[in-house]
Every structure is written in structure tokens, then in C-alpha cells.
Amino acid sequence: MDDSHRDLLFLLHDTARLLRVKADKRARQHGMTRAQWAILFWLERQPGISQKELSELLDVEPITVARLVDRLEMRGMVERRPDPRDRRIWRLHLLPPARGVLREIDVHRAEMTRIVTAGIDEATIETVIEALLRMKATLIQGAHARNRGTELATPETV
């Protein structure tokens, strides 16, 4: 294997892509999409989130979230409720039928985690998790700095 196969950014991207493909297949087996699963996942963790906030978390256009929520609403899994302070905003809430799907999602997530970490010891898995958390925090910090008009100091700029 040459050095190009050990490129960190390529490996992160390719691993994430492979996981998305696997999750897409699993969601389709349940007559859903990975995007619908993601909406249910986030609504369980942040009940009452707005469609706009959810679109930002999912990194998709608000109209995309609206259409996905329409489908979930038709299946009786999600409910839109008006925001008590701003009638232009819809707050999203899970309904009882979504609970069974969320249990299935958890089963699939656990199985995919077992598959992807097979043969890797716990200490290494914990190191990878810590490294990814640090990378994510650095990227978020950099995005916030750019939004404020400043850049983070990097070794190249110091």
C-alpha cells in the first residue's frame, strides 16, 4: 500500500462514505432513508428543534428538511407544532410510532460499530474517538473564528 492510501483526509472521507452507503441500505430495508433516520435521531436528542435548526445540523437546505418531515408526518412519526413565540416557526416533535424505529436505528448503529471496530482494541478505539473529537472541535472553533472575521493561529501562521 503506497502513502496515498494512508492519507488521513482521504481515509476519513472514504470511511464516512462507506458508512453512509451501509446506512442507506439498512434504512431502505425499513422503507425509509438515511436522512429520515437522521431526523428521528436528532429529534430524539433535541425535541422541539425548528426545521431551520435541523437543516443546519444536517447540512441540507430547509426545503429538504421540510419535505423529509412531510413524509415522516404522513407516517405518524413526527408532529409540527407552532412556536409559542414566533408563528413563522414550526417546532418538531416525535410521536410514539417513531420510538420503535429509533430502537431499530440503535440496533443498526451498534451492529455497524461492531463491524467497523472489529479487531481493534478498546484503547485504540478510545484514542480514535478522542482524536476525532479534537479534530471536530478544532474545525468548529475555526468556523466560529472565520465568522467573527479572525483566523485561528496555526503552526504556519505563528
Side-chain angles (χ1 to χ4, degrees):
M1 195 181 297
D2 65 21
D3 287 344
S4 67
H5 294 289
R6 297 184 58 81
D7 181 271
L8 177 64
L9 296 180
F10 173 80
L11 286 169
L12 284 171
H13 179 270
D14 209 36
T15 302
R17 180 186 59 80
L18 292 167
L19 284 169
R20 285 190 304 271
V21 168
K22 188 170 279 299
D24 284 335
K25 288 179 184 175
R26 288 171 182 256
R28 276 194 305 272
Q29 291 172 347
H30 295 277
M32 296 185 76
T33 66
R34 179 174 42 90
Q36 289 171 317
W37 276 13
I39 287 174
L40 296 178
F41 179 86
W42 280 109
L43 289 181
E44 182 177 44
R45 282 145 188 83
Q46 295 185 32
I49 192 171
S50 74
Q51 289 183 180
K52 182 178 184 317
E53 293 164 334
L54 187 56
S55 73
E56 290 167 0
L57 278 172
L58 297 174
D59 198 26
V60 297
E61 294 297 319
I63 188 66
T64 301
V65 169
R67 288 180 180 141
L68 290 165
V69 170
D70 287 344
R71 290 187 200 116
L72 290 169
E73 203 172 34
M74 286 189 295
R75 293 179 76 152
M77 293 185 193
V78 172
E79 173 179 65
R80 289 179 171 102
R81 297 180 195 159
D83 184 288
R85 293 175 302 278
D86 187 339
R87 63 187 180 122
R88 297 169 295 172
I89 298 174
W90 290 101
R91 297 287 171 185
L92 304 173
H93 297 271
L94 292 176
L95 294 174
R99 300 292 174 204
V101 174
L102 284 161
R103 283 192 297 278
E104 282 294 316
I105 291 169
D106 286 343
V107 168
H108 286 289
R109 287 180 63 244
E111 187 177 330
M112 289 173 62
T113 299
R114 278 192 301 280
I115 290 167
V116 79
T117 60
I120 302 172
D121 64 89
E122 286 299 318
T124 302
I125 293 168
E126 190 58 34
T127 299
V128 169
I129 289 169
E130 291 301 321
L132 289 170
L133 286 169
R134 179 67 189 128
M135 290 177 197
K136 181 179 176 181
T138 299
L139 291 169
I140 290 169
Q141 184 181 9
H144 290 303
R146 280 188 297 284
N147 289 341
R148 289 188 312 269
T150 61
E151 286 292 327
L152 286 176
T154 62
E156 295 81 29
T157 60
V158 174

